[in-house]
Amino acid sequence: QQQVKQSPQSLIVQKGGISIINCAYENTAFDYFPWYQQFPGKGPALLIAIRPDVSEKKEGRFTISFNKSAKQFSLHIMDSQPGDSATYFCAASKDTSGSRLTFGEGTQLTVNP
Amino acid sequence: NAGVTQTPKFRVLKTGQSMTLLCAQDMNHEYMYWYRQDPGMGLRLIHYSVGEGTTAKGEVPDGYNVSRLKKQNFLLGLESAAPSQTSVYFCASRPGGSGNTIYFGEGSWLTVV
């Protein structure tokens, strides 16, 4: 059972454009939602994370929008750059000690120059 | 800083052979994880450990065994490799407590022929 669904599977954006990746979760007990970025040949690395007490979190060009009632959250990359080309994974877990992350299927982002 | 180190990075196995993947972390983290990454399926948890001497099953544990005899090491074993175990394997670790960042290794590419 896939508890975190991510879309789209792949995304092509022009340099300077906005990249948007969406995730939906099923388990209402989840209360920690990170996004990971993975470059080819490397392991995923934490990009940004949000907890449901806020509806939006921004770090530089990266923003998470969170909709608790819809059980959805999304990653927005403003002014997308070729260096942002990577695979992005959303994830979710309970925000408690020992909890395990459930990952989405991943989105391969390509930003064309 | 080394962080999370996986060995070997690449391996080709014949069906039925056994092997062990080694993960070492130098951050004194309590929790350690083994994931596998397959195209279109995101990261799936195989086994994990919440401390030295403990192990637990994740989403896809069949065909794998693990051991955590020392806090800094987490071993993943394949007793009788199958082509379905061809994948990229990632080890990860994080401190105890809630909502902490998971740190991934760079991956181990395993092909079973």
Side-chain angles (χ1 to χ4, degrees):
Chain A
Q1 182 180 1
Q2 184 65 39
Q3 294 194 59
V4 179
K5 288 191 174 294
Q6 183 173 345
S7 63
Q9 190 173 13
S10 63
L11 180 62
I12 300 174
V13 174
Q14 291 299 118
K15 179 182 176 182
I18 302 174
S19 304
I20 301 175
I21 304 171
N22 300 300
C23 281
Y25 63 97
E26 298 173 4
N27 189 340
T28 56
F30 287 156
D31 53 8
Y32 175 66
F33 304 91
W35 284 89
Y36 280 78
Q37 180 188 53
Q38 183 183 29
F39 293 106
K42 301 294 185 182
L46 180 68
L47 182 64
I48 187 173
I50 195 169
R51 289 178 173 80
D53 52 339
V54 296
S55 60
E56 185 175 284
K57 182 174 182 180
K58 184 176 180 179
E59 290 184 1
R61 295 184 294 107
F62 300 91
T63 300
I64 299 179
S65 297
F66 184 79
N67 185 330
K68 188 174 182 178
S69 62
K71 294 189 287 185
Q72 295 175 348
F73 58 110
S74 60
L75 176 69
H76 295 237
I77 306 174
M78 311 299 288
D79 187 26
S80 299
Q81 299 297 312
D84 297 330
S85 297
T87 300
Y88 293 81
F89 294 96
C90 63
S93 74
K94 300 176 188 179
D95 192 16
T96 56
S97 178
S99 62
R100 297 171 286 155
L101 283 174
T102 298
F103 285 88
E105 301 94 330
T107 297
Q108 187 168 351
L109 171 66
T110 301
V111 182
N112 289 327
Chain B
N1 291 336
V4 179
T5 303
Q6 295 180 226
T7 53
K9 195 168 180 69
F10 299 97
R11 183 75 186 268
V12 178
L13 279 179
K14 293 183 179 179
T15 298
Q17 284 185 319
S18 64
M19 75 158 296
T20 299
L21 296 174
L22 171 63
C23 177
Q25 52 96 2
D26 62 1
M27 298 173 282
N28 200 36
H29 285 171
E30 289 296 326
Y31 302 127
M32 296 189 74
Y33 309 86
W34 275 108
Y35 288 89
R36 61 177 288 172
Q37 183 176 17
D38 302 290
M41 302 188 76
L43 291 147
R44 294 183 292 168
L45 183 64
I46 305 171
H47 286 280
Y48 66 102
S49 168
V50 299
E52 180 178 318
T54 75
T55 63
K57 294 180 180 180
E59 300 172 62
V60 288
D62 294 343
Y64 305 95
N65 56 75
V66 288
S67 64
R68 188 144 179 227
L69 299 178
K70 294 183 179 180
K71 186 177 183 179
Q72 64 268 34
N73 295 336
F74 195 30
L75 278 63
L76 177 70
L78 285 72
E79 290 187 347
S80 179
S84 61
Q85 294 178 303
T86 294
S87 187
V88 183
Y89 292 87
F90 287 97
C91 178
S93 71
R94 74 170 180 92
S98 63
N100 282 299
T101 302
I102 288 181
Y103 296 85
F104 284 86
E106 296 205 331
S108 295
W109 275 253
L110 176 65
T111 301
V112 183
V113 296

